[in-house]
Amino acid sequence: MIKDDLGKKLLFFDGGMGTLLQAKGLKPGELPETWNVTHGEEIIGIHQAYIEAGSDLVLTNTFGANALKFRDGGYPLQEIIEQAVSHVKEAARRAGRSVYTALDVGPTGKLLKPMGDLEFEAAYEAFKQAMVYGEQAGADLIHIETMSDTYEIKAAVLAAKENTKLPVFVTAIFDERKKLLTGADVPAVVSLLEGLRVDALGVNCGLGPVQVMPVLEELLACASIPVIVKPNAGLPKQRGNETYYDVSPEEFARTMKDIVEKGAAVVGGCCGTTPKHLGSMSEACRGMSVKPAEKKSFTVVSSYGQAVVLGKGSRIIGERINPTGKKKLKQALKDRDLDYILKEGILQEENGAHILDVNVGLPDIDETAMMVEAVEGLQSVTSLPLQIDTVDVRAMEAALRIYNGKPMVNSVSGKQESMDAVFPLIAKYGGVVIGLALDEKGIPETADGRVRVAERIIREAAKYGIEKKDIVIDVLAMTISSEPEGAAVALEAIGRVRRELGVHTVLGVSNISFGLPCRPILNASFYMMAMYAGLGAGIVNPSSEAMMEAYDAYHALMGFDENCSRYVEKYAGRKARGTSAPAGSMAAPESGDRTSAGLAAGGKAELPGGAMGLQTVIEKGLKEEAYHITERLVRDQAPLDIINTHLIPALDHVGKGFEQGTVFLPQLLMSAEAAKAAFSVLKERIAESGEAAEKKEKVILATVKGDIHDIGKNIVKVLLENYGFEVIDLGKDVPPERILEAVRAQDIRLAGLSALMTTTVVSMEETIRLLKKEAPKCRVMVGGAVLNQEYADMIGADFYGKDAMQSVYYAQKILQ
């Protein structure tokens, strides 16, 4: 069993497959997986060479073998996978060595909704079918690799976990900034995968062995399970018609030895590595001991874009997306007014929230459907982690399944019925669960009683494999108007839970003042005391001036705000408030709530409706709001003026943020969709008024022959269209001749080509050569995970787009 060896002895993966197949005659555009049926001996020979070079884990030739790719005739998916598994086993027999057969599972090549057009469950089904066939054929483990989107990773891992009994390894593509294409950082990826209980995780492709070092160091700092490293053999280069990589087997081996010494438990190679690379590596590293994976105690929640760690100082959970005491939110939920909810989330993020509570429970709505819609919507406009807040177990599971990251879950109590229902969901999907310090007898009156309930919750969670780091206790704040000792008991319980049980705490802070006047005074004072007692996260209104002042002051006073930089930046130009407040400010009522965490209300009663301008809502990705604001603006302003003063500046601002790493791909695409919604209004008015619109320049986009991965192409298409270009999308797997035909027919001056696979770059070069000869006026820009500037230069491209925005800027330079 692979689990008997994993983390106990150094394990070697194999290396690249595509370039070796090309050397054996794989034609441009030919699907490598079909060779399992048509060229079995060649596949066996490659596997055997890797096994003889020292590989312990050998990947089947199934990287692109999924139900989306093999569904339209040709070779049946089951036959492709069965042959692939049998070839590894035959190679091991011929080599006279026992190895582990790893079912290789690559990405679908599509973006999942809301960024793309692939449904989460459709991706799940595609992965499921391949994985079931792989287990039936005799694979020893599933290796999900070369992933660039945490959401697709989650679909693949769930498919493996729910439909097979095989161990699961996962590796993702990180760039030089240590981020995935869709924005996830290393802690976010690790927290997601460990929450889903994969057996090993790591990095592959994208970077060479030297460049991967910073990613490895962060993986080792975050992960509690064995780490995998499979870098490329450096950067791809061209010598005549031959593609090669610039790191020799000897150089590769030296760096991989350093990688093992740092703590990697499983090592191998990706693009450009050969049996010589793997042989040199295994010879250099054989006999080295493996550093045991160090268990980490971080309490982490994450989204697709970032992780939030509880521990140093306190964290803010925004409470405003909760209908209790909020008439406008209740009405918005009844009306399915998602934009209202999204604006609440955006406002709380801007005001300093670290996590957003999401509660949509009303008696007269479908809570499960609304919870899913709210979670998906919020994750399209903010990268903050979410707290799934519901007592409906069906709604909880539905949200956990589609959540992109590792959420906080509110909540479970010490009642056996509650623990029996909630803990299996946390064990399956991952999450940090809030445990309420109450049981069948109610809420204990003393701190000691609440600590005892917390102990019971922790013990029961352990039965499901849920560690203490994934439990946060809500010691419950009882209103002092009816419970005079409520504050003192809560403060004592916070300190004891942290010291005696070793877990973090959370609290709905404003419950303490329910029924009393001038609630912000009490709330802010209690909040400061709770943080000093060790409160890990307060569920508060980040729009409340008093609460944020307390938060900022506490962190400055306790040294958590280094050099008081946040405090100075925020308050340097502000006058201190006097003793008297304007009417309605400090005395403004803050609604109370039930005692369960995440349901306390406070601060400003409602978000001002329609306060955002068009440029802002486009930047935030609010499609419906962008549409309605544009409808109002176009009554008094010319459509072209609106485009130039609102749409283009918004897209430019988001584009620059994307380049600088402050805006992530989902936000970039949602902003483009919001701009498209606004433009749809302007387009109608331009047509009605006869106002002359600028003639749109045309750009052709295509994924080259043999490549079905259209993620990059589709991203570029959305952005080009929103910058006023007319895009002729030829789709994927497009032959060079068809691209030339379209260029000639439309008199195109710019064509964009995309490729994700090493084996299809040959088709890209062939297309460029044809266009240069037959349509020399057409410039060619290229992009894709396997490309870089040097490689693009070598195959004759006019421009290499490192990201989608670079392609837009080049189009503007060439065509406008």
Side-chain angles (χ1 to χ4, degrees):
M1 289 287 290
I2 181 67
K3 288 187 178 182
D4 295 332
D5 291 333
L6 181 62
K8 299 179 179 66
K9 71 175 187 178
L10 183 62
L11 295 172
F12 298 103
F13 258 113
D14 54 6
M17 173 66 75
T19 49
L20 299 183
L21 290 180
Q22 285 179 323
K24 289 182 176 292
L26 180 73
K27 298 175 182 177
E30 190 175 7
L31 298 178
E33 297 81 13
T34 61
W35 273 42
N36 293 324
V37 178
T38 61
H39 296 72
E41 281 300 316
E42 284 83 352
I43 300 298
I44 292 170
I46 292 173
H47 291 324
Q48 184 175 346
Y50 277 124
I51 295 169
E52 291 173 348
S55 296
D56 305 307
L57 299 98
V58 179
L59 289 165
T60 57
N61 180 34
T62 54
F63 179 81
N66 59 63
L68 295 176
K69 192 171 183 178
F70 288 88
R71 63 181 181 183
D72 300 322
Y75 299 101
L77 179 62
Q78 185 170 4
E79 182 181 7
I80 292 283
I81 292 174
E82 286 176 348
Q83 289 296 319
V85 173
S86 70
H87 292 335
V88 174
K89 295 185 179 298
E90 174 60 19
R93 187 190 67 78
R94 293 182 187 181
R97 279 190 62 215
S98 176
V99 300
Y100 295 110
T101 302
L103 181 71
D104 191 14
V105 178
T108 62
K110 292 180 173 290
L111 277 174
L112 275 63
K113 289 184 176 180
M115 291 183 291
D117 58 3
L118 183 62
E119 295 282 357
F120 179 84
E121 293 297 340
Y124 169 91
E125 289 296 330
F127 290 127
K128 168 187 172 182
Q129 192 172 354
M131 291 167 174
V132 169
Y133 290 150
E135 183 178 41
Q136 291 173 349
D140 299 306
L141 70 143
I142 293 171
H143 182 40
I144 301 164
E145 66 165 343
T146 323
M147 288 290 184
S148 57
D149 176 14
T150 51
Y151 209 27
E152 186 171 29
I153 291 173
K154 182 170 185 176
V157 172
L158 285 177
K161 289 286 187 179
E162 293 180 350
N163 300 284
T164 79
K165 296 179 180 179
L166 298 178
V168 180
F169 291 9
V170 180
T171 54
I173 305 178
F174 291 91
D175 61 21
E176 297 89 344
R177 297 179 300 177
K178 299 182 288 186
K179 290 184 179 293
L180 303 191
L181 171 68
T182 50
D185 56 17
V186 173
V189 174
V190 171
S191 63
L192 168 70
L193 293 176
E194 290 192 345
L196 292 171
R197 301 192 181 190
V198 303
D199 298 283
L201 56 83
V203 55
N204 81 292
C205 203
L207 300 171
V210 173
Q211 293 78 18
V212 84
M213 284 287 196
V215 178
L216 169 64
E217 289 170 358
E218 196 160 349
L219 283 168
L220 293 171
C222 297
S224 298
I225 60 177
V227 170
I228 308 165
V229 180
K230 300 196 306 171
N232 292 342
L235 301 174
K237 299 197 173 184
Q238 198 80 5
R239 185 189 297 118
N241 293 325
E242 177 191 359
T243 299
Y244 72 99
Y245 284 73
D246 63 359
V247 173
S248 69
E250 294 75 24
E251 291 174 300
F252 188 82
R254 283 196 297 270
T255 310
M256 294 306 292
K257 185 176 181 180
D258 293 339
I259 284 172
V260 173
E261 287 175 346
K262 284 184 177 293
V266 187
V267 291
C270 201
C271 297
T273 55
T274 66
K276 289 183 179 179
H277 287 83
L278 272 294
S280 294
M281 180 187 71
S282 63
E283 183 178 347
C285 300
R286 187 73 66 183
M288 292 180 68
S289 59
V290 175
K291 292 182 179 180
E294 180 185 344
K295 284 288 185 182
K296 311 300 190 303
S297 58
F298 309 125
T299 297
V300 186
V301 293
S302 67
S303 66
Y304 68 83
Q306 63 176 292
V308 172
V309 182
L310 272 61
K312 186 178 179 181
S314 190
R315 294 290 178 264
I316 297 169
I317 302 174
E319 68 183 10
R320 294 296 298 167
I321 304 175
N322 187 307
T324 306
K326 303 180 187 70
K327 293 181 181 179
K328 289 186 179 180
L329 180 57
K330 285 182 180 179
Q331 192 59 48
L333 291 171
K334 292 177 182 178
D335 297 340
R336 302 188 74 84
D337 181 3
L338 187 61
D339 261 23
Y340 185 93
I341 296 170
L342 302 189
K343 284 191 291 184
E344 286 281 11
I346 291 167
L347 182 66
Q348 290 183 98
E349 178 179 21
E350 291 177 343
N351 286 335
H354 303 109
I355 301 167
L356 299 179
D357 181 71
V358 185
N359 183 303
V360 295
L362 285 178
D364 48 354
I365 69 168
D366 183 342
E367 184 177 354
T368 298
M370 192 68 233
M371 177 65 84
V372 168
E373 191 174 346
V375 167
E376 290 179 334
L378 285 164
Q379 288 207 293
S380 71
V381 299
T382 175
S383 64
L384 292 187
L386 304 182
Q387 175 171 284
I388 297 168
D389 183 358
T390 179
V391 295
D392 186 325
V393 175
R394 291 175 301 173
M396 184 182 291
E397 178 164 20
L400 281 169
R401 187 171 186 83
I402 56 91
Y403 182 78
N404 191 355
K406 180 184 178 184
M408 189 167 274
V409 182
N410 185 12
S411 55
V412 66
S413 72
K415 296 179 180 179
Q416 192 63 46
E417 180 183 17
S418 174
M419 293 187 288
D420 290 345
V422 174
F423 283 150
L425 300 182
I426 303 302
K428 179 178 180 179
Y429 295 106
V432 172
V433 64
I434 293 176
L436 304 181
L438 61 87
D439 57 15
E440 287 84 357
K441 298 178 182 179
I443 302 173
E445 295 182 359
T446 64
D448 187 68
R450 296 180 197 183
V451 172
R452 299 288 82 78
V453 173
E455 284 181 324
R456 180 186 176 191
I457 291 171
I458 293 169
R459 282 197 307 271
E460 190 68 18
K463 297 177 183 178
Y464 295 85
I466 301 169
E467 300 178 54
K468 289 203 295 184
K469 67 181 181 181
D470 288 331
I471 300 170
V472 176
I473 297 298
D474 184 349
V475 298
L476 303 173
M478 308 300 292
T479 177
I480 59 172
S481 61
S482 58
E483 300 282 346
E485 300 298 318
V489 169
L491 294 171
E492 180 187 348
I494 288 171
R496 289 187 59 186
V497 166
R498 186 75 190 113
R499 291 191 306 272
E500 297 174 19
L501 306 185
V503 300
H504 291 288
T505 55
V506 68
L507 205 61
V509 176
S510 61
N511 284 340
I512 204 72
S513 65
F514 184 76
L516 294 170
C518 294
R519 294 183 64 191
I521 297 174
L522 291 171
N523 291 343
S525 298
F526 178 61
Y527 189 25
M528 181 81 80
M529 296 168 74
M531 287 187 285
Y532 186 72
L535 182 66
I539 304 172
V540 303
N541 178 7
S543 297
S544 168
E545 191 174 28
M547 298 300 273
M548 295 308 293
E549 287 174 344
Y551 178 87
D552 294 332
Y554 170 77
H555 285 78
L557 291 167
M558 297 304 296
F560 297 125
D561 179 2
E562 189 173 353
N563 298 321
C564 299
S565 56
R566 172 184 164 89
Y567 186 87
V568 171
E569 179 183 0
K570 189 171 180 180
Y571 298 103
R574 180 172 146 185
K575 293 181 180 180
R577 287 192 292 176
T579 55
S580 61
S585 58
M586 289 296 287
E590 293 194 28
S591 54
D593 211 307
R594 67 179 189 233
T595 54
S596 63
L599 301 182
K604 296 179 183 178
E606 297 292 349
L607 175 70
M612 296 181 185
L614 180 57
Q615 182 173 337
T616 301
V617 299
I618 290 173
E619 291 173 2
K620 300 302 182 184
L622 300 172
K623 292 185 290 185
E624 291 185 18
E625 191 76 4
Y627 183 90
H628 294 310
I629 291 177
T630 307
E631 281 188 318
R632 294 195 295 271
L633 288 177
V634 82
R635 298 170 191 165
D636 304 312
Q637 298 180 34
L640 293 181
D641 288 341
I642 296 172
I643 291 172
N644 292 327
T645 59
H646 297 280
L647 271 67
I648 297 301
L651 291 171
D652 284 340
H653 183 263
V654 173
K656 289 174 183 175
F658 180 67
E659 285 186 296
Q660 295 165 0
T662 58
V663 170
F664 302 123
L665 180 61
Q667 295 161 294
L668 180 74
L669 294 180
M670 293 308 295
S671 294
E673 289 297 311
K676 187 181 294 185
F679 185 75
S680 68
V681 177
L682 301 175
K683 186 177 180 180
E684 293 177 10
R685 181 56 61 93
I686 290 171
E688 292 171 1
S689 65
E691 183 178 359
E694 294 182 25
K695 182 181 178 182
K696 289 186 175 182
E697 288 281 359
K698 297 178 180 178
V699 180
I700 275 181
L701 296 181
T703 300
V704 298
K705 183 178 179 181
D707 205 319
I708 67 159
H709 300 88
D710 56 4
I711 290 177
K713 173 183 66 65
N714 290 343
I715 295 168
V716 173
K717 177 184 177 182
V718 170
L719 295 178
L720 283 171
E721 287 178 338
N722 279 279
Y723 274 84
F725 296 98
E726 180 179 342
V727 177
I728 301 169
D729 185 359
L730 300 182
K732 56 196 177 187
D733 190 18
V734 185
E737 297 77 16
R738 185 178 166 208
I739 296 173
L740 174 62
E741 180 184 350
V743 167
R744 282 175 164 174
Q746 300 282 342
D747 192 24
I748 299 298
R749 296 166 53 202
L750 179 61
L753 306 179
S754 174
L756 183 70
M757 302 164 62
T758 306
T759 53
T760 58
V761 176
V762 177
S763 294
M764 180 178 281
E765 183 181 12
E766 182 183 346
T767 304
I768 293 171
R769 193 181 307 119
L770 185 62
L771 289 174
K772 293 291 184 184
K773 180 181 179 182
E774 303 294 338
K777 292 183 181 179
C778 180
R779 302 286 184 92
V780 181
M781 60 182 182
V782 298
V786 294
L787 296 173
N788 55 52
Q789 185 64 61
E790 185 177 1
Y791 201 11
D793 292 340
M794 288 180 177
I795 62 176
D798 295 300
F799 178 77
Y800 162 63
K802 188 175 182 180
D803 58 50
M805 283 307 303
Q806 293 296 320
S807 300
V808 172
Y809 297 149
Y810 182 69
Q812 289 177 320
K813 176 182 176 182
I814 296 300
L815 302 179
Q816 293 183 347

